[in-house]
Amino acid sequence: MNQPEQHQPALRPHKSAGGIRFTFDGAPGLRSVAVAGTFNSWVGDDRPLRQIAPGRWQTTLPVATGRHLYKYVVDGRHWILDPANPWVSEDGQNNSSFTVDGDGEVFIRSGHANAQHPGPLYLRHKALPSPAWLADGVVYQLSVRAFGATFAGVQARLDHLAALGVGVIWMMPIHPVGIDGRLGTLGDPYAVRDFGAIDPALGDAAALRALVDAIHARGMRLVLDWTLNRASVDNILVAQHPDWFTRRAGGAPFYAVPNRAYFAGLDFSRPDLRAHLLGAMRQWVAEFDIDGFRFDDSDITPLDFLVEIRESLRQIRPDIGLISQAYDEFHHLAACDLTYEGGTRDLILALAGGRAAPADFIRQWQDAAYSFPRDALRMRWLEEKEQGRAWRHYGPALHLAAAAILLTVDGVPHLMMGQEFNEPLWRDWRSLFEPFSLDWSAFDAPTLKHYQCLIGLRNRHPALRQGKLEFAAEQPDGALAYWRGSGAARILVVVNLSARAARLPACAHGLQCLYTSDRGHQAGERVDPARGLAAHVCLLAQAAQAKQQLGAHVMRLQNDVK
């Protein structure tokens, strides 16, 4: 169903007596309109709008503080964006968005926030301080079964991750998987049957401890995936504490999100349920020395419970790191360290295809940066468990250019297992419903070397981890140029996203090349802008270093690519 964009401010969600007012203008003759989103677990028919005039539908709903995603459901089957709201979510799933501030006011991004005109959330709020190991890290997501079959198998491949340079390993759920309503042979790993147990197919407690010790011995950290909001419909708690779960009129447990019949929803209004989950998380940290958690679907978790989790876990691990699978500005205030940022993924593709200009990238980056609380850390990704391979999305050549942006802009980069060598078999998390392992034989060595060099530079240069990002005054057509850091240590990054050669900005003249994927330039030499930059390549450069420092850097770079 095609609905023309209206972008009329009066029709957008806004504060009203009793909550948030939703208004939809549609063609005459519609039978029904409802609104579904994170505020009602995406149930398509339980928040109907009332027709108040021909073609106009309206309702007012209580909506909690935080970011919310939504769509209108027309005639029970057409799920459409709000035609009056220009803000589309940056999660790659094409939802309308708005944020409710603590006083109930609605904030909708307009694309115009910047350093001179920051948004209200940036002005009013500052993000909580995050542990350095997470803020400075590169996050690598893996499934134990797919990556190494068992805990011991993952341990055997840790040298690969150490050579890659990642600092944080995120392990997808390692709990036993539910059986009732299971999809595929092995089921959805996020359908947890016992939050306190290990899936015996992956190994035992001793094997997990050995893996954690080996990770820590290499200077890396471990984050466990934790399924919030739901459990498998046959989770052991369903029988023990049926009142902890959302239930239908007949008493059967269910999960409100559509097409998830094998889940049972958790009822967070129960303090005893919250206490049980907090105890389970604390046990994993205490018994296995886990460094943090990544929370699945935390955008539909009560914010006060996320805050409660952090406060509880910090009592036993002060440097706990928490990743929220959400785009919620308010998760940064007292709950989580990282929220997702996925808008860059498709903007790179638009820039490469000529559908966007460097100015569009800059405007979107500034709008996001100055709409979030100050110092908020975003986890940036080119692929994640719900999106396919980056090399398929971009093509192999453009993938290399996109990776250069991912690993040199601000924020915390995230890699999906196998992304670094263009692994061909992985599709998304549903690949895990059947026996699956990465194809280590289909190993693209040049892509791996590119990732190793960029991550190595990021690890060695604080400017690429902590330095401010400032876009260059001169932006070549089809390319992106920006500085990281300040003073003599600042680094210029130029990435050509186009399929043709691009000129280098004049500010690159005389800088020392740190790394390039362009054969026309060499690490260690002075940059000559007249040479330009070949298609789909990057160049990182810095003010000239002392000869001894430069020699040491080139030697490290040569070692990185061996």
Side-chain angles (χ1 to χ4, degrees):
M1 179 179 184
N2 295 321
Q3 184 74 19
E5 290 187 353
Q6 300 162 345
H7 292 187
Q8 299 179 41
L11 301 181
R12 298 171 188 171
H14 60 273
K15 182 180 180 180
S16 181
I20 304 302
R21 172 73 53 81
F22 293 85
T23 304
F24 179 83
D25 270 8
L30 297 180
R31 296 186 302 275
S32 67
V33 177
V35 62
T38 50
F39 43 79
N40 76 328
S41 297
W42 293 101
V43 179
D45 58 1
D46 77 338
R47 296 292 187 271
L49 279 68
R50 182 174 61 89
Q51 189 169 13
I52 61 171
R56 175 160 293 188
W57 302 72
Q58 199 170 82
T59 191
T60 301
L61 302 175
V63 178
T65 297
R67 172 82 70 92
H68 295 280
L69 311 180
Y70 71 103
K71 278 190 169 83
Y72 285 116
V73 185
V74 177
D75 288 343
R77 59 192 182 94
H78 300 294
W79 291 63
I80 66 172
L81 288 166
D82 183 348
N85 185 350
W87 186 9
V88 177
S89 63
E90 61 268 42
D91 59 357
Q93 298 188 23
N94 205 38
N95 295 303
S96 295
S97 301
F98 67 89
T99 295
V100 179
D101 204 344
D103 58 5
E105 294 292 341
V106 173
F107 168 67
I108 292 178
R109 269 167 48 184
S110 63
H112 301 301
N114 54 42
Q116 291 72 40
H117 304 285
L121 303 181
Y122 182 92
L123 291 171
R124 298 174 193 170
H125 305 292
K126 183 178 174 61
L128 56 80
S130 298
W133 64 262
L134 187 56
D136 285 350
V138 175
V139 177
Y140 189 94
Q141 179 183 177
L142 63 84
S143 154
V144 170
R145 185 158 46 78
F147 188 83
T150 62
F151 296 135
V154 172
Q155 185 174 341
R157 292 196 182 276
L158 287 181
D159 288 344
H160 167 77
L161 298 181
L164 180 60
V166 299
V168 182
I169 297 173
W170 153 11
M171 285 201 316
M172 298 168 80
I174 60 173
H175 309 290
V177 178
I179 297 172
D180 289 359
R182 173 179 285 190
L183 298 181
T185 306
L186 300 175
D188 185 340
Y190 289 84
V192 174
R193 198 167 74 246
D194 185 348
F195 288 107
I198 296 170
D199 183 348
L202 306 180
D204 58 15
L208 177 57
R209 289 192 192 94
L211 172 58
V212 176
D213 289 345
I215 288 171
H216 288 162
R218 287 167 171 80
M220 296 185 285
R221 300 294 189 117
L222 178 64
V223 169
L224 282 188
D225 217 332
W226 192 275
T227 305
L228 283 174
N229 310 304
R230 65 202 189 281
S232 72
V233 74
D234 56 351
N235 186 282
I236 61 171
L237 298 176
V238 172
Q240 297 171 1
H241 300 280
D243 52 330
W244 288 1
F245 293 85
T246 54
R247 310 184 76 82
R248 300 190 187 278
F254 81 107
Y255 186 45
V257 175
N259 304 316
R260 297 290 188 271
Y262 52 93
F263 284 120
L266 299 174
D267 182 358
F268 288 117
S269 69
R270 299 301 305 258
D272 44 354
L273 166 65
R274 293 188 178 203
H276 177 87
L277 295 176
L278 290 173
M281 293 180 204
R282 289 170 64 98
Q283 184 64 29
W284 282 97
V285 173
E287 186 173 346
F288 295 101
D289 201 18
I290 302 302
D291 298 291
F293 293 95
R294 176 265 181 187
F295 296 131
D296 192 64
D297 284 351
S298 46
D299 56 350
I300 54 177
T301 302
L303 178 59
D304 69 310
F305 185 48
L306 292 174
V307 173
E308 195 176 350
I309 291 171
R310 184 177 194 87
E311 292 173 347
S312 178
L313 295 180
R314 277 179 54 83
Q315 293 173 9
I316 58 174
R317 181 176 283 280
D319 67 341
I320 196 76
L322 301 178
I323 302 174
S324 171
Q325 190 198 5
Y327 298 79
D328 195 323
E329 299 89 344
F330 283 85
H331 285 193
H332 288 279
L333 302 189
C336 297
D337 300 285
L338 293 181
T339 58
Y340 277 39
E341 194 289 313
T344 303
R345 179 179 189 257
D346 285 330
L347 192 56
I348 288 173
L349 194 62
L351 188 55
R355 300 186 305 279
D360 298 310
F361 188 103
I362 294 169
R363 184 167 51 252
Q364 178 164 311
W365 181 89
Q366 290 179 331
D367 188 48
Y370 291 101
S371 295
F372 264 72
R374 300 184 303 282
D375 299 331
L377 278 173
R378 311 299 305 283
M379 187 173 75
R380 304 190 189 277
W381 49 268
L382 303 179
E383 58 181 84
E384 51 98 31
K385 74 179 180 69
E386 295 178 7
Q387 304 290 338
R389 283 294 188 211
W391 70 264
R392 285 196 184 92
H393 187 67
Y394 296 115
L398 182 56
H399 171 208
L400 297 179
I405 292 176
L406 172 73
L407 293 164
T408 58
V409 293
D410 62 319
V412 178
H414 163 276
L415 307 183
M416 190 69 201
M417 56 179 178
Q419 174 181 336
E420 74 279 13
F421 63 89
N422 287 351
E423 194 280 333
L425 299 182
W426 173 261
R427 300 293 173 178
D428 57 34
W429 95 104
R430 290 169 295 187
S431 295
L432 301 175
F433 293 9
E434 300 290 347
F436 176 85
S437 60
L438 296 180
D439 184 358
W440 291 91
S441 67
F443 205 87
D444 187 70
T447 299
L448 176 63
K449 290 178 182 178
H450 184 62
Y451 271 91
Q452 284 178 316
C453 288
L454 289 167
I455 295 173
L457 285 166
R458 189 178 187 277
N459 289 340
R460 286 194 296 274
H461 292 272
L464 294 174
R465 304 190 308 273
Q466 305 158 2
K468 69 175 183 178
L469 188 151
E470 180 184 356
F471 290 96
E474 180 187 357
Q475 292 292 326
D477 290 341
L480 201 62
Y482 49 91
W483 295 92
R484 294 298 312 276
S486 58
R490 73 174 184 161
I491 294 173
L492 175 68
V493 181
V494 186
V495 184
N496 184 3
L497 296 168
S498 71
R500 61 186 182 278
R503 61 183 174 81
L504 283 166
C507 61
H509 179 75
L511 297 180
Q512 208 90 49
C513 180
L514 292 175
Y515 170 72
T516 181
S517 49
D518 186 345
R519 294 181 180 179
H521 300 270
Q522 295 293 325
E525 70 177 13
R526 298 291 181 99
V527 175
D528 180 3
R531 296 181 188 175
L533 202 59
H536 297 150
V537 302
C538 68
L539 182 142
L540 280 72
Q542 193 177 42
Q545 304 174 44
K547 187 173 181 181
Q548 293 162 326
Q549 292 176 311
L550 180 60
H553 165 75
V554 173
M555 181 68 72
R556 285 194 298 266
L557 189 61
Q558 290 170 342
N559 291 334
D560 283 344
V561 300
K562 287 180 179 177

